[in-house]
Amino acid sequence: MAELKLNHIYKVYPNGHKAVNDFSMEIEDKEFIVFVGPSGCGKSTTLRMIAGLEDITAGELIIGGEVMNYVEAKDRDIAMVFQNYALYPHMSVYENMAFGLRLRKLPKDEIDRKVKEAAEILGISEYLNKKPKEMSGGQRQRVALGRAIVREPKVFLLDEPLSNLDAKLRTAMRAEISKLHKKLKTTFIYVTHDQVEAMTMGTRIVVMKDGFIQQIDSPSNLYNYPCNKFVAGFIGTPQMNFYNAKLEKTDSGIRVAFDDTNVDFSAPLKYFSKVDEIYLDGKRPIIAGIRSEHVSVDSKLYPFKTKCRVSYVEDLGVESQIYADFALNAEDAVIESPTKIIIKSPPGIKYEPDEIIDISIDLKNMHLFDAETENTIAPRLPESYGVNGTVKNNVLKVLGTEFALPAALSCEDGEYEVRFPRQALSFGGSISAVYCGEEDVNGVKVAEVNAGGKSLFLPLSEGEAVEKTVKRKGKTASVEVCTLSLDLKYVSLLKDGETVRTAMPLCNSLVGKVVKKKIAVAREVNGKMKNVKELRYYLTVGEETAEIPEHIAEKMLKSGGKNIFRDLTELRLGLDGIKLSQSGITANVERIADYGKDKFVECSIATGKVFAQIPSDCPLDAVKIEIIWDGVSIYDKDFDIRLV
């Protein structure tokens, strides 16, 4: 078995450059994983850390259940195929493939068997007596693969192995490597900058940029559900068309308008069910993306029609690519225009330069991104929601339901934007909702419901089912209905974009310095009690200290080394990660957040603030807080590296 786990892997060079940032994923046995991204994104560095050719700055690499951070490369049972083949020119193909096995002192007959079996798999049996210089690039690449195969490793690592080959040979070798993966039935990790290679070979693809994972997903999900503009533009040929745009909710649906163009549609609301309400005011700038294959020169193919001005046509044989512009009177060259459009069409299409043509657009496949962050504003599973609500006599009406506001949310009458994270919703409660169906999002079952005209999406745990009943509408039609609960402590109220009432945070943050001290501890030594010096580790926050448990301190030292005593350390904990106690760190009470049944205290410690739930029997005259270390995430704040 060759499962790999990369837990919060970082690579930071001595000059401070972070080549890989918080890389986390699990790779199953026999998977074909592809790392893809532009040059310098960290994909090869990650591969080299797996191979043991680069030290891991922080994090854990686990292969087959064993931590491999400090295991020598030769002992990791991994075979790596490099971009430049790395064959010995003075040796024959047979000798090149057998060299590593001879170093391991395998019996001669076993070496012969392994080499010949690998040569048979790769179709290079007839070249075993040749030297590399007598072979083509594709044949040499097969020899490099063969040298890896004979070792029968747990994991194959391939670092851009086809980049030196011509286009035709690359296509053939892609198919060969895919067939090889099926034959060998082991784990492959493949690095490339070519998105076509990634899409055609990988069972899952890791898209990277600037050392960060952008998205890990199947090829089809990367194409259909890109998480941000970078992934959307990187996956697909030609690149997706992008436009500055705005969305506005109207009585008839959603108005979609592209800036500086004649593109202006009214689309059904169902196309935008996962879009946050804040983007539907007609003012907030967004980026709209449309692939060339979702635009047609057949103006009757899709219901949304417009015009564009043709610049030129490329006839590629099997299809044509039309380069045009939505700005009908623009003087810019189309290649430089922010309103250009590339359209895939059947071959043989003929248009004259500057000809105005009718086209239709498939808005169901339009992608929408925040203009500032460039993240999608219509994720498959939304992280948060913003809906309209009204307050009257301290009663909030939202999602078609009325809630008596607790003291922490008490505010003046008026209209508000009500914001809450996905975690604030659960099934069972006072909110009546229509059950719309379920979909699979990366192996997680997600239920769609509609409450008060707002579509909401809730993940279901394994085996969980939505409790619903049938409600008749009219004489014949019937719908399935269910109920929801909204946890008010996670609700924020906004007015004119300004936060009026703040929700409880999902996460507490505590920043301090780690120090070590030797303390005298009574221990039995040779049958007698003696005071011995033992090392203890503490987190200091201002003038206060909290002892760090030994197993946590060991992990911090392993990941951060001596830097943990020099840099600031940040603890990130859930609301249940801090509790009020009779002993611990002294804190100052800033305010009480009263949610009726639940009450929370906001405490200041040095320069930071934390929230803790107030037990019913706890006095608040001298507050001390205790850290619950199990489940805490610990970061080197100076370098933003996760240590635990």
Side-chain angles (χ1 to χ4, degrees), residues 385-517:
Y385 296 98
V387 296
N388 295 323
T390 57
V391 173
K392 188 175 182 180
N393 297 328
N394 221 36
V395 174
L396 170 67
K397 186 173 183 180
V398 66
L399 298 176
T401 306
E402 292 186 345
F403 297 90
L405 287 178
L409 291 179
S410 181
C411 58
E412 296 178 353
D413 291 357
E415 295 185 355
Y416 292 87
E417 179 190 338
V418 183
R419 296 203 63 82
F420 51 88
R422 187 182 71 233
Q423 293 87 335
L425 287 170
S426 58
F427 284 105
S430 60
I431 302 172
S432 179
V434 175
Y435 173 78
C436 303
E438 295 174 8
E439 64 175 305
D440 185 279
V441 178
N442 293 339
V444 177
K445 192 188 294 183
V446 175
E448 178 183 356
V449 299
N450 190 289
K454 175 66 178 177
S455 291
L456 305 166
F457 300 85
L458 284 76
L460 302 174
S461 57
E462 190 172 349
E464 182 184 5
V466 181
E467 289 188 15
K468 47 189 184 287
T469 57
V470 176
K471 182 179 180 181
R472 197 161 291 283
K473 237 178 130 184
K475 291 183 179 179
T476 56
S478 62
V479 295
E480 292 181 308
V481 296
C482 58
T483 58
L484 301 176
S485 176
L486 178 63
D487 193 336
L488 292 180
K489 69 174 173 285
Y490 295 120
V491 168
S492 296
L493 299 178
L494 294 83
K495 199 173 189 64
D496 300 323
E498 297 292 327
T499 301
V500 176
R501 292 292 180 267
T502 305
M504 285 292 102
L506 292 173
C507 179
N508 274 311
S509 174
L510 197 59
V511 178
K513 296 278 287 186
V514 175
V515 297
K516 57 183 177 180
K517 299 177 183 177

Side-chain angles (χ1 to χ4, degrees), residues 320-391:
S320 294
Q321 287 186 5
I322 301 168
Y323 291 77
D325 201 317
F326 279 132
L328 303 183
N329 300 313
E331 297 181 0
D332 294 339
V334 72
I335 202 71
E336 300 167 352
S337 172
T339 54
K340 70 178 181 182
I341 175 79
I342 303 175
I343 308 165
K344 281 187 179 180
S345 71
I349 292 287
K350 302 292 183 185
Y351 291 116
E352 295 298 321
D354 294 325
E355 183 177 347
I356 306 297
I357 63 171
D358 294 311
I359 61 172
S360 60
I361 299 174
D362 182 7
L363 286 191
K364 287 189 291 186
N365 284 301
M366 182 170 63
H367 301 272
L368 305 169
F369 308 97
D370 183 282
E372 184 175 348
T373 67
E374 297 190 350
N375 292 328
T376 180
I377 63 172
R380 299 185 73 189
L381 184 55
E383 290 295 323
S384 63
Y385 296 98
V387 296
N388 295 323
T390 57
V391 173

Side-chain angles (χ1 to χ4, degrees), residues 259-318:
D259 294 356
D260 304 319
T261 74
N262 63 322
V263 179
D264 198 323
F265 301 110
S266 181
L269 185 61
K270 64 182 180 181
Y271 290 0
F272 305 88
S273 61
K274 295 185 179 181
V275 175
D276 198 310
E277 293 274 355
I278 62 173
Y279 294 97
L280 303 180
D281 62 358
K283 300 174 183 177
R284 195 179 182 102
I286 66 159
I287 297 170
I290 303 173
R291 297 196 188 278
S292 57
E293 50 268 42
H294 297 141
V295 186
S296 176
V297 292
D298 180 356
S299 61
K300 297 179 181 178
L301 185 62
Y302 305 117
F304 308 103
K305 303 172 178 59
T306 188
K307 296 179 182 291
C308 64
R309 175 176 56 87
V310 174
S311 179
Y312 62 96
V313 179
E314 288 183 347
D315 193 341
L316 304 177
V318 295

Side-chain angles (χ1 to χ4, degrees), residues 6 9 20 23 35 42-51 208:
L6 294 95
I9 298 290
V20 178
F23 190 109
F35 296 168
K43 56 189 185 295
S44 289
T45 303
T46 305
L47 197 76
R48 290 172 65 84
M49 284 192 286
I50 295 172
M208 298 184 69

Side-chain angles (χ1 to χ4, degrees), residues 214-226:
Q214 303 296 304
Q215 188 169 347
I216 302 175
D217 225 322
S218 66
S220 61
N221 281 348
L222 286 176
Y223 179 86
N224 292 310
Y225 308 108

